[in-house]
Amino acid sequence: MSESAMPGSTRPYLIRALYEWCADNGLTPFIAVAVDGTVSVPMEYVRDGEIVLNISMDATSGLLIGNDAIEFKGRFGGVARDLYVPIHRVLAIYARENGQGMAFPLQPAEGGVTAPAQPEAAGSVVKAAVVKEVKSSDAATEPPPRPPSGGARPTLTRIK
């Protein structure tokens, strides 16, 4: 079957595979999400238009990683919230402990709404990602503001 005739995206399959890999290896899967009007997350935790979510079995209830969206209940500040993340808004999935995972280019919504341009090659499906904890000793960059949870915020570094 030609690539243009294949229905759907590989993104949900890759997200499910990496989620399963994390679970099988005792790692904590995190997703980075580009927030817009289609995403339902606690807005007070969004920083620079993005949010990082822990999607481990211990942190979620009713997790469903479907072909169109990731849906689950999560606790924020002790309050249970329903979360909804369209698959096309997932920027990366990675293991918190070692940073191994995969980053994805931001795709336009299925309704034709375009997302902000990404500096990636056309036709690129996925790029490897390296995630590092930002420490105050990193002289090259200022650490981003701390999330409300109190932990250091991971950052993605794209490798081409």
Side-chain angles (χ1 to χ4, degrees):
M1 179 179 272
S2 73
E3 190 172 327
S4 61
M6 291 181 68
S9 169
T10 58
R11 188 178 299 215
Y13 299 94
L14 294 169
I15 291 170
R16 283 190 291 266
L18 285 167
Y19 176 86
E20 187 174 324
W21 173 80
C22 285
D24 288 351
N25 289 286
L27 302 171
T28 309
F30 276 42
I31 57 171
V33 178
V35 177
D36 70 357
T38 64
V39 177
S40 177
V41 296
M43 296 308 285
E44 62 270 25
Y45 292 89
V46 174
R47 299 286 181 259
D48 298 324
E50 294 182 9
I51 189 168
V52 176
L53 300 168
N54 177 346
I55 60 168
S56 68
M57 291 295 278
D58 293 338
T60 64
S61 174
L63 177 68
L64 173 63
I65 304 174
N67 288 341
D68 297 322
I70 298 173
E71 300 178 69
F72 61 97
K73 285 185 186 284
R75 295 185 75 78
F76 292 84
V79 178
R81 299 253 185 80
D82 289 319
L83 286 88
Y84 178 86
V85 177
I87 287 291
H88 70 274
R89 302 305 294 176
V90 176
L91 296 173
I93 180 169
Y94 60 92
R96 179 188 57 146
E97 292 80 1
N98 61 16
Q100 292 184 0
M102 189 172 288
F104 305 97
L106 192 56
Q107 293 177 327
E110 289 182 20
V113 177
T114 58
Q118 293 292 310
E120 301 192 26
S124 174
V125 176
V126 292
K127 301 262 183 185
V130 175
V131 180
K132 67 173 188 152
E133 293 290 327
V134 175
K135 296 183 174 70
S136 60
S137 63
D138 290 343
T141 61
E142 288 279 323
R146 290 197 172 257
S149 64
R153 184 171 179 187
T155 59
L156 291 175
T157 304
R158 293 185 189 246
I159 300 175
K160 295 191 180 212

